[in-house]
mmCIF file of all heavy atoms in Angstrom:
data_model
loop_
_atom_site.group_PDB
_atom_site.id
_atom_site.type_symbol
_atom_site.label_atom_id
_atom_site.label_comp_id
_atom_site.label_asym_id
_atom_site.label_seq_id
_atom_site.Cartn_x
_atom_site.Cartn_y
_atom_site.Cartn_z
ATOM 1 N N ILE A 119 -8.276 3.293 -0.695
ATOM 2 C CA ILE A 119 -8.742 4.238 0.356
ATOM 3 C C ILE A 119 -7.611 4.710 1.254
ATOM 4 O O ILE A 119 -6.546 4.014 1.346
ATOM 5 C CB ILE A 119 -9.738 3.477 1.297
ATOM 6 C CG1 ILE A 119 -9.154 2.186 1.830
ATOM 7 C CG2 ILE A 119 -11.088 3.278 0.614
ATOM 8 C CD1 ILE A 119 -10.001 1.443 2.854
ATOM 9 N N TRP A 120 -7.831 5.887 1.789
ATOM 10 C CA TRP A 120 -6.902 6.398 2.814
ATOM 11 C C TRP A 120 -7.658 6.174 4.134
ATOM 12 O O TRP A 120 -8.825 6.577 4.310
ATOM 13 C CB TRP A 120 -6.668 7.966 2.601
ATOM 14 C CG TRP A 120 -5.603 8.183 1.516
ATOM 15 C CD1 TRP A 120 -4.652 7.389 1.122
ATOM 16 C CD2 TRP A 120 -5.488 9.407 0.748
ATOM 17 N NE1 TRP A 120 -3.843 7.958 0.142
ATOM 18 C CE2 TRP A 120 -4.372 9.214 -0.075
ATOM 19 C CE3 TRP A 120 -6.184 10.554 0.728
ATOM 20 C CZ2 TRP A 120 -3.945 10.181 -0.969
ATOM 21 C CZ3 TRP A 120 -5.729 11.608 -0.130
ATOM 22 C CH2 TRP A 120 -4.653 11.385 -0.982
ATOM 23 N N ASN A 121 -6.870 5.569 5.076
ATOM 24 C CA ASN A 121 -7.522 5.254 6.372
ATOM 25 C C ASN A 121 -7.446 6.412 7.345
ATOM 26 O O ASN A 121 -6.795 6.327 8.380
ATOM 27 C CB ASN A 121 -6.754 3.987 6.948
ATOM 28 C CG ASN A 121 -7.125 2.747 6.168
ATOM 29 O OD1 ASN A 121 -8.260 2.277 6.230
ATOM 30 N ND2 ASN A 121 -6.176 2.238 5.378
ATOM 31 N N LEU A 122 -8.160 7.436 7.029
ATOM 32 C CA LEU A 122 -8.032 8.656 7.845
ATOM 33 C C LEU A 122 -8.542 8.429 9.248
ATOM 34 O O LEU A 122 -7.995 9.034 10.214
ATOM 35 C CB LEU A 122 -8.808 9.824 7.239
ATOM 36 C CG LEU A 122 -8.283 10.188 5.759
ATOM 37 C CD1 LEU A 122 -8.986 11.496 5.315
ATOM 38 C CD2 LEU A 122 -6.757 10.341 5.746
ATOM 39 N N GLY A 123 -9.589 7.683 9.409
ATOM 40 C CA GLY A 123 -10.099 7.471 10.809
ATOM 41 C C GLY A 123 -9.108 6.813 11.711
ATOM 42 O O GLY A 123 -8.858 7.372 12.805
ATOM 43 N N SER A 124 -8.551 5.753 11.371
ATOM 44 C CA SER A 124 -7.591 4.991 12.159
ATOM 45 C C SER A 124 -6.270 5.750 12.304
ATOM 46 O O SER A 124 -5.718 5.851 13.399
ATOM 47 C CB SER A 124 -7.361 3.605 11.740
ATOM 48 O OG SER A 124 -6.922 3.608 10.404
ATOM 49 N N MET A 125 -5.792 6.330 11.151
ATOM 50 C CA MET A 125 -4.540 7.020 11.196
ATOM 51 C C MET A 125 -4.647 8.257 12.124
ATOM 52 O O MET A 125 -3.683 8.598 12.882
ATOM 53 C CB MET A 125 -4.170 7.463 9.777
ATOM 54 C CG MET A 125 -3.834 6.303 8.871
ATOM 55 S SD MET A 125 -2.479 5.321 9.470
ATOM 56 C CE MET A 125 -2.420 4.060 8.167
ATOM 57 N N GLY A 126 -5.768 8.916 12.015
ATOM 58 C CA GLY A 126 -5.935 10.103 12.831
ATOM 59 C C GLY A 126 -6.012 9.729 14.364
ATOM 60 O O GLY A 126 -5.466 10.426 15.203
ATOM 61 N N TYR A 127 -6.670 8.618 14.602
ATOM 62 C CA TYR A 127 -6.813 8.167 16.004
ATOM 63 C C TYR A 127 -5.389 7.833 16.548
ATOM 64 O O TYR A 127 -4.990 8.271 17.627
ATOM 65 C CB TYR A 127 -7.686 6.925 16.094
ATOM 66 C CG TYR A 127 -7.801 6.397 17.502
ATOM 67 C CD1 TYR A 127 -8.682 6.951 18.404
ATOM 68 C CD2 TYR A 127 -6.984 5.401 17.944
ATOM 69 C CE1 TYR A 127 -8.772 6.532 19.750
ATOM 70 C CE2 TYR A 127 -7.013 4.946 19.296
ATOM 71 C CZ TYR A 127 -7.921 5.510 20.158
ATOM 72 O OH TYR A 127 -8.035 5.071 21.432
ATOM 73 N N PHE A 128 -4.631 7.002 15.759
ATOM 74 C CA PHE A 128 -3.308 6.663 16.248
ATOM 75 C C PHE A 128 -2.428 7.886 16.456
ATOM 76 O O PHE A 128 -1.729 8.052 17.419
ATOM 77 C CB PHE A 128 -2.613 5.766 15.187
ATOM 78 C CG PHE A 128 -3.076 4.337 15.203
ATOM 79 C CD1 PHE A 128 -3.335 3.694 13.960
ATOM 80 C CD2 PHE A 128 -3.284 3.623 16.356
ATOM 81 C CE1 PHE A 128 -3.737 2.353 13.902
ATOM 82 C CE2 PHE A 128 -3.698 2.278 16.328
ATOM 83 C CZ PHE A 128 -3.947 1.727 15.094
ATOM 84 N N ALA A 129 -2.509 8.859 15.535
ATOM 85 C CA ALA A 129 -1.719 10.053 15.651
ATOM 86 C C ALA A 129 -2.122 10.932 16.842
ATOM 87 O O ALA A 129 -1.266 11.399 17.601
ATOM 88 C CB ALA A 129 -1.872 10.899 14.357
ATOM 89 N N ARG A 130 -3.375 11.068 17.070
ATOM 90 C CA ARG A 130 -3.862 11.908 18.146
ATOM 91 C C ARG A 130 -3.503 11.313 19.514
ATOM 92 O O ARG A 130 -3.155 11.975 20.428
ATOM 93 C CB ARG A 130 -5.391 12.081 18.136
ATOM 94 C CG ARG A 130 -5.900 13.010 17.036
ATOM 95 C CD ARG A 130 -7.369 13.309 17.272
ATOM 96 N NE ARG A 130 -8.206 12.178 17.372
ATOM 97 C CZ ARG A 130 -8.756 11.525 16.379
ATOM 98 N NH1 ARG A 130 -8.521 11.899 15.124
ATOM 99 N NH2 ARG A 130 -9.507 10.466 16.573
#
Side-chain angles (χ1 to χ4, degrees):
I119 53 174
W120 281 335
N121 288 291
L122 299 190
S124 56
M125 294 299 178
Y127 179 84
F128 285 137
R130 286 192 306 276

